[in-house]
Amino acid sequence: MITTEIGYTTIDKITVRGKDLSLELLGKLDFVDMMMLTILNRLPEEREKRMVNLILVTACDHGLTPSAMSARLTYLGAPEAMQAAVAAGLLGAGSVFLGTTQNSAELLIDAARELADDASDEAVLDCARTAIRTSREKKQPIYGVGHPIHVHGDPRVPTLAEVSRQNGYFGKHWRLMYAIERVFRHEMGKNLPINAVGAIGAIIGDMKLEPLLARGFMLVGRAAGLLAHLYEERQHPIGQQLWDLVLTQDERNEIPARKGKGS
Amino acid sequence: MITTEIGYTTIDKITVRGKDLSLELLGKLDFVDMMMLTILNRLPEEREKRMVNLILVTACDHGLTPSAMSARLTYLGAPEAMQAAVAAGLLGAGSVFLGTTQNSAELLIDAARELADDASDEAVLDCARTAIRTSREKKQPIYGVGHPIHVHGDPRVPTLAEVSRQNGYFGKHWRLMYAIERVFRHEMGKNLPINAVGAIGAIIGDMKLEPLLARGFMLVGRAAGLLAHLYEERQHPIGQQLWDLVLTQDERNEIPARKGKGS
Amino acid sequence: MITTEIGYTTIDKITVRGKDLSLELLGKLDFVDMMMLTILNRLPEEREKRMVNLILVTACDHGLTPSAMSARLTYLGAPEAMQAAVAAGLLGAGSVFLGTTQNSAELLIDAARELADDASDEAVLDCARTAIRTSREKKQPIYGVGHPIHVHGDPRVPTLAEVSRQNGYFGKHWRLMYAIERVFRHEMGKNLPINAVGAIGAIIGDMKLEPLLARGFMLVGRAAGLLAHLYEERQHPIGQQLWDLVLTQDERNEIPARKGKGS
Amino acid sequence: MITTEIGYTTIDKITVRGKDLSLELLGKLDFVDMMMLTILNRLPEEREKRMVNLILVTACDHGLTPSAMSARLTYLGAPEAMQAAVAAGLLGAGSVFLGTTQNSAELLIDAARELADDASDEAVLDCARTAIRTSREKKQPIYGVGHPIHVHGDPRVPTLAEVSRQNGYFGKHWRLMYAIERVFRHEMGKNLPINAVGAIGAIIGDMKLEPLLARGFMLVGRAAGLLAHLYEERQHPIGQQLWDLVLTQDERNEIPARKGKGS
């Protein structure tokens, strides 16, 4: 039978996860409760909910990222279809940006599978060494370390770690992540500090959630950030200027002077 | 200057709406606060936040909608790129589904521009008559009424109206929406009850938000619902069965028997 | 019955538009024949095929357009899912870029519905005046004129007109398009020369094809151009530089020096 | 410098691959010539062009595939943004459908790297055995064999092989693909005939093109097929029926009777 356990609909009622949407959910749950109920078929604990909020806030946005640029450039061509601009902004959430939280969670969960929750620091370091070696052998990157801008350390990581500790989710995956950073620095001479992706991978591992949700939460959070960018783009458009700026990098291109635009 | 007021980044700090993301936002705000701060450059009031949660919960999901089907069919072909499946599910949020909340808000805000907040019922009915007539003249649909499944009335609407009342957002746009329903029923003999789209259009109007946000909130909420569908699809896939089901509708198609699948 | 007339499949045969794909189409038709057969359920005439090739070549590409930028920025985040980068590049084909060929064709076909094929120049000018006035009254743009870069005239238009003439497709829609340009210049004092969008709108009208195909052909042709950009991006990536370039426009952003990169 | 070698634009001229688009390309080249010039910076040989046409025709379409279904379901919600429906249809071109031609080409090119062009049949079989074993060790699928519908053999493959032979592109990659089929059948007792994906992977290898182009050509060809589906959907919509059909599979769903619709 083709069916979903998420919900069903009759002429008079909508049921989501066994509850009457209109009478039991709308106005009674907030969005994060509803999202987690829909995904996991149970309400989140308070501390889980704080962590999911933490991840969504991290994902939301901070300035002109490639996803915000794609969304604005798409909106420039199709302002009547804002959903297409949001979708374009999400499509880059792959193995290099945003979506890489899933790869990071997979790497940590795989590597820490045999690690005891109360493993010694030395055991965790050993596990980190193995994880780095295994990734190299498979010619796969180590996800979750280094950042093109925050080269001295990602400023979000200490807060993400602290909130994880406060809520009881600083476990073996977080410890492994820190051990990977340490092995890179002290044994391999490489400055590759943990980034937000690695922190979220560790959180997903320590919350015992599926890696797919790591990528998924980034998409939900980023959708909100893209909405903010498109809201601003509508009032103060910069899409055309982005295009002009890029064209003028190649001196063979020639564009007419634009009145009232800063390019 | 090409810039955004949303935020900027230095090597050591990320600033969003003038706040230090790591020290002032992460772990201190929840997702809806963060979304609204990013969009509006101010924190929402408590009652605004309740309404935004209400809209996001409405948008989240309820079963195998066209957006959930597109997402699952996309995941079937590209499970390694879940962001593409979420994007595919959002792309139909146009003038017929989901995105139509924007059209509904635009219609109501345009139509009620000259209507006083304390207008008489008769004045609101007049406004509804004008709105219907104007839309017909422009050959545009009246957004926000009727539903392909909930033909006797959308079960979400009474709750959406009640929560709006409780929070002080049942104003002239909601009244106009009800008046439109009434004119259709009593003066034109048409059973076109308000649907969730119309309710959200009215809420956006009465919250004095931009119509673009009506569509945007649906995208954010639906992203969460799509995540739930893809999480289920990964564990209990139905994508191939959906395909088989559709193929077998046309007797010219012939597909081999599949073991262990119910189509 | 849920079915498509495009084709069906049995265990041993694939049928497209009534033909055996393997025995009658593969290796016997070229791509444009196949596309037109699939769409129209008939093979194109030679002159139709020349025109469709003309449109696809026009759509293909020419440098760093917003669609190429979106595609490259998406590829930067998700190189393992190149389909997402192509999709992101197509998503801006709306009412402002590319997709606007559909709007242009609709405008011309609507406006010229009552115009005789051999109408006098004066009648065509009248029709142009009416079209401009009607669009203004509806607060809709006149599609197909003006260009942000080619301010003295779009260099593609004379060739598109000439090839149309050679193939017998320079009819009343082309004449109307030229008349619109003339009315703007001589009667309204506005320099708004026909652009490629207007030319393609006119061609679609004079080929008696549906406006939807105008947008559709642009998508097919542009998909090829985006493929070229992503092929180059893979070998000589500029995505990260695009990001750095944009960030450095706002002096509040600070990015580290990158070795071997020109930003 | 941020630049592309594909083309550039001045106020009066568009240059693509060093040629004047308006004077040297439009009306002089057909679409496949233009696509290959744009990608490879050279015109294709006649026999290359025949092969590219062959691949594009293969990719075009054949009935209600998951990509066609996603596109139609997206169009149902957003008919005003047809580009979004085409994009939704392309987004599933990943490691399972369509995009898997890239994986197939990569597998064959990697495996045959050391194989001489005139290797003995036994050497090719050895190479096939190694390729299968290596993929298993890496827990990766063998791409290009088996089909959910064409269980006795993909009817397109003999034609694809024949046209490859006629044009001098039946080389070591095609031979390896056939050897893989043979090893599965005779040594492992598995009926996994070559499918169109494997054939296209072999063609790309024997044409000495990059694997990325295998996926890319599928996207271009499929864009045309999706256009045909959306053209039909506009005139004879089945999107709503698809939804109703799926809902009625789960007896908990209840939908009203629809007049004049066959579900």
Side-chain angles (χ1 to χ4, degrees):
Chain A
M1 196 175 77
I2 296 177
T3 182
T4 172
E5 291 311 307
I6 294 171
Y8 57 92
T9 298
T10 64
I11 294 179
D12 297 317
K13 195 166 78 168
I14 296 167
T15 304
V16 178
R17 292 297 187 186
K19 312 257 184 228
D20 183 317
L21 173 63
S22 308
L23 301 182
E24 299 179 86
L25 304 175
L26 276 177
K28 299 199 166 58
L29 298 189
D30 75 8
F31 172 60
V32 172
D33 279 330
M34 179 70 176
M35 175 172 80
M36 297 307 286
L37 172 67
T38 311
I39 295 171
L40 295 180
N41 195 22
R42 63 169 177 83
L43 285 173
E45 298 172 34
E46 266 308 309
R47 62 180 198 133
E48 283 180 306
K49 195 171 156 181
R50 282 193 293 270
M51 295 304 289
V52 172
N53 271 302
L54 182 72
I55 295 172
L56 294 175
V57 170
T58 304
C60 187
D61 208 68
H62 40 272
L64 284 171
T65 55
S67 65
M69 288 164 65
S70 291
R72 285 175 183 259
L73 289 163
T74 301
Y75 189 82
L76 179 64
E80 72 284 2
M82 191 257 269
Q83 75 275 19
V86 171
L90 296 179
L91 283 172
S95 67
V96 179
F97 294 135
L98 288 169
T100 190
T101 48
Q102 178 176 352
N103 307 83
S104 166
E106 283 166 358
L107 183 151
L108 294 171
I109 291 170
D110 267 12
R113 210 172 290 282
E114 306 298 321
L115 202 66
D117 279 328
D118 60 350
S120 69
D121 286 355
E122 194 45 51
V124 179
L125 278 168
D126 262 352
C127 184
R129 288 180 198 111
T130 306
I132 293 171
R133 198 176 53 240
T134 308
S135 290
R136 304 227 147 166
E137 283 167 11
K138 291 194 205 163
K139 293 179 183 167
Q140 282 177 352
I142 299 284
Y143 297 99
V145 292
H147 194 285
I149 293 173
H150 307 300
V151 289
H152 309 319
D154 188 320
R156 295 162 290 188
V157 171
T159 307
L160 294 171
E162 190 191 331
V163 179
S164 298
R165 265 197 199 91
Q166 288 164 356
N167 288 289
Y169 291 116
F170 191 95
K172 66 180 183 181
H173 300 94
W174 258 116
R175 292 177 66 205
L176 175 58
M177 200 66 236
Y178 272 106
I180 288 171
E181 180 188 67
R182 205 167 316 139
V183 170
F184 272 123
R185 177 159 300 137
H186 296 304
E187 303 179 15
M188 305 170 75
K190 292 196 178 182
N191 175 34
L192 286 171
I194 300 175
N195 58 33
V197 162
I200 289 170
I203 290 172
I204 292 292
D206 285 332
M207 291 180 76
K208 302 197 195 310
L209 293 175
E210 291 285 325
L212 188 82
L213 294 181
R215 186 182 302 218
F217 292 152
M218 300 314 276
L219 295 169
V220 174
R222 182 53 56 96
L226 292 170
L227 176 53
H229 276 282
L230 295 167
Y231 184 80
E232 186 184 65
E233 179 72 19
R234 183 159 165 275
Q235 295 176 326
H236 304 288
I238 59 169
Q240 179 67 50
Q241 287 168 276
L242 281 175
W243 187 14
D244 288 356
L245 172 69
V246 170
L247 282 185
T248 50
Q249 299 303 302
D250 180 344
E251 58 189 20
R252 295 173 300 177
N253 284 308
E254 177 195 15
I255 61 170
R258 301 207 194 285
K259 291 172 212 142
K261 291 190 177 172
S263 58
Chain B
M1 194 174 77
I2 296 178
T3 181
T4 173
E5 292 311 306
I6 294 172
Y8 57 92
T9 298
T10 65
I11 294 177
D12 297 315
K13 194 165 79 167
I14 297 166
T15 304
V16 178
R17 292 297 187 187
K19 311 260 184 225
D20 183 317
L21 173 64
S22 309
L23 302 182
E24 298 179 85
L25 303 175
L26 275 177
K28 299 200 167 57
L29 297 189
D30 75 9
F31 171 61
V32 171
D33 280 330
M34 179 70 175
M35 177 172 78
M36 297 308 285
L37 173 66
T38 312
I39 295 171
L40 296 180
N41 195 22
R42 64 169 176 84
L43 285 173
E45 297 173 34
E46 266 309 307
R47 61 179 198 133
E48 282 180 305
K49 194 172 158 181
R50 282 193 293 270
M51 295 305 289
V52 172
N53 271 300
L54 182 73
I55 294 172
L56 294 175
V57 170
T58 304
C60 187
D61 208 70
H62 40 274
L64 285 171
T65 54
S67 65
M69 288 164 65
S70 290
R72 286 174 182 259
L73 289 162
T74 301
Y75 190 81
L76 179 65
E80 72 284 0
M82 192 258 269
Q83 75 276 18
V86 171
L90 295 180
L91 283 172
S95 69
V96 178
F97 294 136
L98 289 168
T100 189
T101 48
Q102 179 176 353
N103 306 83
S104 166
E106 283 166 357
L107 183 151
L108 294 170
I109 292 169
D110 267 10
R113 210 173 291 280
E114 306 298 321
L115 202 65
D117 280 327
D118 60 351
S120 70
D121 287 354
E122 196 43 51
V124 179
L125 279 169
D126 262 352
C127 185
R129 287 181 199 110
T130 306
I132 293 171
R133 198 177 52 240
T134 308
S135 290
R136 302 227 149 167
E137 283 167 11
K138 290 195 205 162
K139 294 181 182 167
Q140 283 177 353
I142 299 286
Y143 298 99
V145 291
H147 194 284
I149 293 174
H150 306 300
V151 288
H152 310 318
D154 188 319
R156 294 163 291 190
V157 171
T159 307
L160 294 170
E162 190 190 330
V163 178
S164 299
R165 265 196 199 91
Q166 288 165 356
N167 288 289
Y169 290 116
F170 192 96
K172 66 180 182 179
H173 300 94
W174 259 115
R175 292 177 67 204
L176 175 58
M177 199 66 236
Y178 272 105
I180 287 171
E181 180 188 66
R182 205 167 315 140
V183 170
F184 272 123
R185 177 159 301 138
H186 296 303
E187 302 178 17
M188 306 170 74
K190 293 198 176 179
N191 175 35
L192 286 172
I194 301 175
N195 58 32
V197 162
I200 289 170
I203 290 171
I204 292 293
D206 284 333
M207 291 180 74
K208 301 196 196 310
L209 294 174
E210 289 286 325
L212 188 83
L213 295 181
R215 186 183 301 219
F217 292 152
M218 299 314 275
L219 294 169
V220 174
R222 182 53 56 97
L226 292 170
L227 176 54
H229 276 282
L230 295 167
Y231 185 79
E232 187 184 64
E233 179 70 20
R234 184 160 164 274
Q235 296 177 324
H236 304 288
I238 59 168
Q240 180 67 50
Q241 288 167 274
L242 281 175
W243 187 13
D244 289 355
L245 172 69
V246 170
L247 282 186
T248 51
Q249 300 303 301
D250 180 344
E251 58 188 19
R252 294 172 302 176
N253 283 308
E254 178 195 16
I255 62 170
R258 303 209 192 282
K259 291 174 212 142
K261 292 191 180 172
S263 60
Chain C
M1 195 174 76
I2 296 177
T3 182
T4 173
E5 291 310 306
I6 293 173
Y8 56 92
T9 298
T10 64
I11 295 179
D12 297 316
K13 195 166 79 168
I14 296 166
T15 303
V16 178
R17 292 297 186 185
K19 312 259 184 225
D20 183 319
L21 173 64
S22 308
L23 302 182
E24 298 178 86
L25 303 176
L26 276 177
K28 298 198 168 57
L29 297 189
D30 75 8
F31 171 60
V32 172
D33 280 330
M34 179 70 175
M35 176 172 79
M36 297 307 287
L37 173 67
T38 311
I39 296 170
L40 296 179
N41 195 23
R42 65 169 176 83
L43 285 173
E45 296 172 36
E46 266 309 308
R47 62 180 198 133
E48 282 180 306
K49 193 171 156 179
R50 281 193 294 270
M51 296 304 290
V52 173
N53 271 301
L54 182 73
I55 295 172
L56 294 175
V57 170
T58 304
C60 187
D61 208 70
H62 40 275
L64 285 171
T65 54
S67 64
M69 288 164 65
S70 291
R72 286 175 181 259
L73 289 163
T74 301
Y75 190 82
L76 179 65
E80 72 285 359
M82 191 257 269
Q83 75 275 18
V86 171
L90 296 180
L91 283 172
S95 69
V96 179
F97 294 136
L98 288 168
T100 189
T101 49
Q102 178 176 352
N103 307 82
S104 166
E106 283 166 358
L107 183 152
L108 294 171
I109 292 170
D110 267 12
R113 210 173 291 282
E114 307 299 320
L115 202 65
D117 279 328
D118 60 350
S120 69
D121 287 354
E122 194 44 50
V124 178
L125 279 168
D126 262 352
C127 185
R129 288 181 198 110
T130 306
I132 293 170
R133 199 177 52 240
T134 309
S135 290
R136 302 227 149 167
E137 283 167 12
K138 290 194 205 162
K139 293 181 181 166
Q140 283 176 353
I142 299 284
Y143 298 100
V145 292
H147 194 284
I149 294 174
H150 307 300
V151 288
H152 310 319
D154 188 319
R156 294 163 291 189
V157 170
T159 307
L160 294 170
E162 190 191 332
V163 178
S164 299
R165 265 197 199 91
Q166 288 164 357
N167 288 289
Y169 291 115
F170 192 96
K172 66 180 183 180
H173 301 93
W174 259 115
R175 292 177 65 206
L176 175 58
M177 200 65 238
Y178 272 105
I180 288 171
E181 179 187 66
R182 206 167 314 139
V183 171
F184 272 123
R185 177 159 302 138
H186 296 303
E187 302 179 15
M188 306 170 74
K190 293 198 175 178
N191 174 35
L192 286 171
I194 301 176
N195 58 32
V197 162
I200 288 170
I203 290 172
I204 291 293
D206 284 333
M207 291 180 74
K208 302 195 196 309
L209 294 174
E210 291 285 326
L212 188 82
L213 294 181
R215 186 182 302 218
F217 292 152
M218 299 315 274
L219 294 169
V220 174
R222 182 52 56 97
L226 292 170
L227 175 54
H229 276 282
L230 295 168
Y231 185 80
E232 186 183 65
E233 179 72 20
R234 182 159 164 274
Q235 296 176 325
H236 304 288
I238 59 170
Q240 179 67 49
Q241 287 168 276
L242 282 175
W243 187 14
D244 289 355
L245 172 68
V246 170
L247 282 186
T248 51
Q249 299 303 302
D250 180 344
E251 58 189 18
R252 295 172 302 176
N253 284 308
E254 176 195 17
I255 60 171
R258 302 207 193 284
K259 290 171 211 142
K261 292 190 180 172
S263 59
Chain D
M1 195 174 76
I2 295 177
T3 181
T4 173
E5 290 311 307
I6 293 171
Y8 58 92
T9 298
T10 64
I11 294 178
D12 296 316
K13 194 166 79 166
I14 296 166
T15 304
V16 178
R17 292 298 188 185
K19 311 257 183 227
D20 183 318
L21 173 63
S22 308
L23 302 182
E24 298 178 86
L25 302 176
L26 275 177
K28 299 200 167 60
L29 296 189
D30 75 8
F31 171 60
V32 172
D33 280 330
M34 179 71 175
M35 176 171 81
M36 297 307 287
L37 173 66
T38 312
I39 296 170
L40 296 179
N41 195 21
R42 65 170 175 82
L43 285 173
E45 298 172 36
E46 266 309 307
R47 61 180 198 133
E48 282 181 306
K49 194 172 157 181
R50 282 193 293 270
M51 295 305 290
V52 172
N53 271 300
L54 182 73
I55 294 172
L56 294 175
V57 170
T58 303
C60 186
D61 208 69
H62 40 274
L64 285 171
T65 53
S67 64
M69 290 164 64
S70 291
R72 287 174 181 259
L73 290 162
T74 301
Y75 189 82
L76 179 64
E80 73 284 1
M82 192 257 270
Q83 74 276 17
V86 171
L90 295 179
L91 283 172
S95 68
V96 178
F97 294 136
L98 288 170
T100 189
T101 48
Q102 179 176 352
N103 306 83
S104 166
E106 283 166 357
L107 183 152
L108 293 171
I109 291 169
D110 266 12
R113 211 173 290 281
E114 305 298 321
L115 202 65
D117 280 327
D118 60 350
S120 69
D121 286 355
E122 195 44 51
V124 179
L125 279 167
D126 262 353
C127 184
R129 288 180 198 112
T130 305
I132 293 170
R133 198 176 52 240
T134 308
S135 289
R136 304 225 147 169
E137 283 168 10
K138 290 194 206 162
K139 294 182 182 165
Q140 282 177 352
I142 299 286
Y143 297 98
V145 291
H147 194 284
I149 293 174
H150 306 300
V151 287
H152 310 318
D154 187 319
R156 294 163 290 188
V157 170
T159 307
L160 294 170
E162 191 191 331
V163 178
S164 299
R165 266 196 197 92
Q166 288 164 358
N167 288 290
Y169 290 116
F170 191 97
K172 67 181 183 179
H173 300 94
W174 259 115
R175 292 176 67 205
L176 175 58
M177 199 66 237
Y178 272 106
I180 287 171
E181 179 188 66
R182 205 167 314 140
V183 170
F184 272 122
R185 178 159 299 138
H186 296 304
E187 302 179 15
M188 304 171 76
K190 293 197 177 179
N191 175 35
L192 286 171
I194 301 174
N195 58 32
V197 162
I200 288 169
I203 290 171
I204 292 294
D206 285 333
M207 290 179 77
K208 302 196 195 311
L209 294 175
E210 290 285 325
L212 188 83
L213 294 181
R215 185 182 303 219
F217 292 152
M218 299 314 275
L219 294 168
V220 174
R222 181 53 56 96
L226 291 169
L227 176 54
H229 276 283
L230 295 167
Y231 185 79
E232 187 184 64
E233 179 72 17
R234 183 158 164 275
Q235 296 176 325
H236 304 288
I238 59 169
Q240 180 67 50
Q241 288 167 275
L242 282 174
W243 187 13
D244 288 355
L245 172 68
V246 169
L247 282 186
T248 51
Q249 300 303 302
D250 181 343
E251 57 189 19
R252 295 172 301 177
N253 284 308
E254 177 196 15
I255 61 170
R258 301 206 193 285
K259 290 172 213 145
K261 291 192 180 171
S263 59

